[in-house]
Amino acid sequence: MLTGWWPCILAGLFGAVVGSFLNVVIYRLPERRSLVFPPSHCFSCGERLGFVDLIPVLSYLLLRGRCRFCGHRFSARYALVEAGSAALAGAAVYYYGLTPYALGVFGAGAALIVAIFIDLDHMIIPDQVPLILIGIGIAFDLYRLLTYGREKALPFAEKLGGEDYVAYLPVSVVGALVGGGLFLVIGWVFERVMSRPALGLGDVKLAAGIGALLGPGYQFLAFFLLAMVSGAAISVLLILLRIRRRDQYIPFGPMLALAAIGMLLWPDVLAPWVLHFYR
Ligand SMILES: [Zn+2]
């Protein structure tokens, strides 16, 4: 049996290997290139990278971020994505144990990491990300249904002809509609008021995916407030530090993704902390 820290450490190693693949996805998905062919190679000399070059984080540190063949410098971001994915997997197992739920949290977090970096690079969020999130949200619904029965679904009660009827709605589907709908309305209002686009359709779809994971209740409200406040704070900071100009578009997807990862890992800590400011 795996005890103590071992499950987290092994999950972290698994997460690092997945992180190495996430780098490939981040780099190739926006260019609509195959994710498996050709195998990884150096961008500078074209030399095919072997096993030693592809050990997550470690090979970056050992080779000091350089290509073994031509000495070309790789971005530290590759190691950052691998380390982030490792931390995510370790944390998911730490909080939820070796359960299907932990796997779902890791899968959703990995898709959100991909969204963060593709949005930073290309100002788009590929449709695959919200689709994966909605798929995992539906899987969470099935998991809850099998574990707790329909009582964990959303009840909608009606009185018809003196009789009580309760419809049990799936949390994922209602959450996706509420999340996507809310961002669609906010984007529309902002565009009318500021007379420039504020939220892209990619952000709306991402919010729908996150809604499918968190449901339409207080977890989503806490996520929403966290993303809005930290997004506004970071935008002001970037403008004050003159990293971005006022009229430059600052992608909002990364803030949505980070707030969602936080809510997936620490709902019991973050939700009450965020919501107590609004009581
Ligand atoms: Zn090279």
Side-chain angles (χ1 to χ4, degrees):
M1 266 305 279
L2 290 170
T3 49
W5 285 94
W6 278 108
C8 295
I9 292 167
L10 291 177
L13 291 175
F14 170 73
V17 173
V18 173
S20 178
F21 176 67
L22 296 182
N23 275 318
V24 177
V25 176
I26 291 165
Y27 186 67
R28 293 189 187 178
L29 190 62
E31 300 181 351
R32 295 180 191 282
R33 285 164 53 195
S34 161
L35 299 181
V36 276
F37 283 104
S40 299
H41 53 269
C42 171
F43 308 125
S44 183
C45 66
E47 193 73 44
R48 187 172 157 180
L49 299 180
F51 181 72
V52 248
D53 311 284
L54 294 171
I55 305 165
V57 186
L58 211 62
S59 65
Y60 185 87
L61 297 175
L62 288 177
L63 300 168
R64 279 185 237 101
R66 287 176 184 282
C67 169
R68 195 153 53 94
F69 305 100
C70 70
H72 177 76
R73 220 171 229 298
F74 293 123
S75 162
R77 211 175 84 173
Y78 294 103
L80 181 73
V81 167
E82 288 160 357
S85 174
L88 178 73
V93 167
Y94 178 78
Y95 289 111
Y96 301 116
L98 286 170
T99 58
Y101 189 75
L103 186 65
V105 166
F106 173 66
L112 289 165
I113 289 177
V114 168
I116 290 172
F117 289 99
I118 293 184
D119 198 17
L120 287 174
D121 286 348
H122 304 276
M123 301 266 186
I124 55 154
I125 297 165
D127 284 345
Q128 284 92 334
V129 171
L131 284 175
I132 287 172
L133 299 185
I134 289 171
I136 294 173
I138 291 171
F140 282 172
D141 259 338
L142 293 172
Y143 181 63
R144 278 189 292 262
L145 190 68
L146 293 173
T147 318
Y148 308 104
R150 65 178 187 183
E151 300 307 314
K152 285 276 176 178
L154 285 174
F156 178 67
E158 295 163 291
K159 209 173 196 66
L160 298 167
E163 295 274 344
D164 286 318
Y165 293 91
V166 181
Y168 290 93
L169 306 172
V171 174
S172 58
V173 176
V174 179
L177 292 172
V178 169
L182 181 69
F183 274 64
L184 201 62
V185 170
I186 293 171
W188 186 83
V189 170
F190 256 74
E191 208 169 320
R192 289 294 167 284
V193 175
M194 315 275 279
S195 55
R196 66 182 169 114
L199 287 173
L201 204 56
D203 296 323
V204 171
K205 291 185 228 172
L206 185 62
I210 293 166
L213 292 169
L214 300 179
Y218 284 104
Q219 284 193 60
F220 189 85
L221 179 63
F223 146 78
F224 176 71
L225 295 171
L226 193 64
M228 285 293 168
V229 172
S230 50
I234 286 177
S235 300
V236 168
L237 201 67
L238 288 178
I239 291 165
L240 286 178
L241 293 172
R242 295 174 192 278
I243 295 170
R244 292 269 164 164
R245 288 196 317 273
R246 263 191 73 136
D247 53 343
Q248 264 179 320
Y249 182 75
I250 296 168
F252 192 39
M255 289 322 303
L256 296 180
L258 283 174
I261 290 174
M263 283 303 300
L264 283 170
L265 287 177
W266 306 287
D268 298 335
V269 179
L270 281 180
W273 180 76
V274 173
L275 294 171
H276 100 269
F277 291 106
Y278 298 86
R279 285 240 179 86

